[in-house]
Amino acid sequence: MSFPEEVIRKLQTAERIVVLTGAGISAESGVPTFRDAQSGLWANYDPEELATPQAFRRNPRMVWEWYMMRREIIKKVKPNPGHFALAGIEKRVTRFLLVTQNIDNLHRLAGSENVIEIHGNIQRTKCFDEDVVIDTWDTTDDVPPRCPRCGGMLRPDVVWFGEMLPSGAFEKSAEAVRNCDVFFSIGTSSLVYPAAALPYEALNNRILSIEINAEATPLTVHVDHHFRGPAGEILPQLVAAAWRA
Ligand code: BV8
């Protein structure tokens, strides 16, 4: 893929780069995107119906087991060239922030350091009642397992629909976007808020905005450049064109 000279030149002189990623960047690692058809027990459920506190209250066992199934998938996958390319960009600029909607930990495994997980992390568990992270608990027949502190149900430490993002995560991300030189939106359908509002912080501040995605999204008509295709192929080519030239 060839890239516009404006993009290459801007990347070579950029000091501050902010990237927003979604499930699409993990797709090539074998992690189903949020909207991939659900399988097995959950085939008849829309993920947006499962990833809610209401669903958990209504059927805690089913929601807990959905996350345990996803955790097992994520334990077996590895970062792909798209993740590694972003970790490489972080090493080449003065200030880099990676804001991810993904809960799969793959950016950190690929070596990214300055990461905000705005939707939490599936590997972490917390108490549904006390909202505190729990690292160990007694294994009993209870599904979900119980909190060793209060006996409440345990849940994955992820942000469900209708729940607030981790305190300060959105504000810190938006501040970084407003003050960067180049903004990327990669592998996200740009449908879920408030994450999907972040690109508009760049657009409203006339910051060079680039989207890399397998399909068009509501953001596509607004960005300066839209590169269509797999992030795992496009990002390494972009890094080579900008920094290995
Ligand atoms: C909030 C963690 C304030 C869990 C996720 C009514 C009541 C309350 C809130 C709302 C409401 N109505 C609307 C809202 C706001 C709601 C929202 O935005 N809903 C949407 C559906 C309209 N948001 C919230 O509730 C947020 N909180 O607003 O709090 C509040 C609180 C109370 C009351 C009022 C307001 C919390 C949202 C967080 C939800 N948690 N994840 C879990 O994972 O189980 S969101 C989840 O879905 C993902 O994290 C991701 O962010 C999102 C989308 O998932 P996908 O579509 O799979 O992934 P993605 O979008 O990344 O799309 C994949 C893209 O990649 C595709 O475009 C595809 O083409 C592309 N692709 C595929 N392969 C590749 C590729 N691209 C490149 N390369 C490839 N190889």
Side-chain angles (χ1 to χ4, degrees):
M1 174 178 272
S2 65
F3 302 97
E5 187 49 38
E6 176 207 23
V7 168
I8 299 302
R9 212 175 40 253
K10 191 72 181 169
L11 287 175
Q12 289 173 337
T13 56
E15 292 187 357
R16 300 160 299 177
I17 293 181
V18 176
V19 178
L20 170 67
T21 62
I25 196 160
S26 295
E28 290 158 87
S29 294
V31 180
T33 67
F34 205 71
R35 280 168 182 68
D36 280 348
Q38 295 303 312
S39 58
L41 292 176
W42 304 277
N44 304 328
Y45 292 93
D46 180 341
E48 279 153 33
E49 293 168 329
L50 288 170
T52 67
Q54 295 80 0
F56 185 70
R57 284 195 192 91
R58 201 169 42 245
N59 194 331
R61 171 186 283 270
M62 178 179 68
V63 174
W64 174 265
E65 290 182 335
W66 182 52
Y67 280 93
M68 289 313 104
M69 178 273 289
R70 292 170 66 192
R71 234 182 221 174
E72 286 313 305
I73 292 174
I74 283 164
K75 276 181 190 159
K76 300 185 183 102
V77 299
K78 298 262 181 297
N80 67 60
H83 295 107
F84 289 115
L86 291 179
I89 294 175
E90 181 169 11
K91 294 178 177 50
R92 288 180 169 86
V93 294
T94 313
R95 288 170 62 187
F96 182 90
L97 176 64
L98 176 51
V99 182
T100 188
Q101 301 170 86
N102 300 337
I103 60 176
D104 58 30
N105 211 42
L106 287 178
H107 284 302
R108 284 213 171 86
L109 282 177
S112 290
E113 293 177 5
N114 200 10
V115 179
I116 295 181
E117 294 172 319
I118 54 170
H119 292 162
N121 187 317
I122 198 170
Q123 315 287 13
R124 273 197 315 270
T125 299
K126 69 179 181 182
C127 174
F128 185 64
D129 295 333
E130 300 172 283
D131 204 27
V132 292
V133 171
I134 301 291
D135 294 316
T136 57
W137 56 86
D138 298 335
T139 305
T140 66
D141 294 339
D142 287 324
V143 178
R146 294 291 162 160
C147 171
R149 296 157 43 110
C150 74
M153 294 188 288
L154 296 182
R155 57 166 282 183
D157 186 13
V158 299
V159 180
W160 281 335
F161 288 98
E163 292 186 326
M164 304 299 280
L165 270 55
S167 170
F170 180 78
E171 294 74 13
K172 185 177 172 196
S173 302
E175 176 70 16
V177 175
R178 281 192 291 272
N179 293 287
C180 72
D181 301 311
V182 182
F183 171 78
F184 284 91
S185 176
I186 303 173
T188 181
S189 56
S190 302
L191 294 174
V192 173
Y193 285 81
L198 285 172
Y200 297 92
E201 299 285 347
L203 297 169
N204 296 340
N205 287 278
R206 309 207 49 69
I207 289 162
L208 182 70
S209 298
I210 300 165
E211 181 182 42
I212 299 173
N213 207 58
E215 63 186 357
T217 73
L219 184 64
T220 304
V221 291
H222 300 294
V223 293
D224 297 294
H225 301 280
H226 170 82
F227 301 127
R228 176 75 54 90
E233 293 175 21
I234 294 173
L235 276 169
Q237 291 176 42
L238 184 60
V239 168
W243 283 288
R244 230 161 284 141

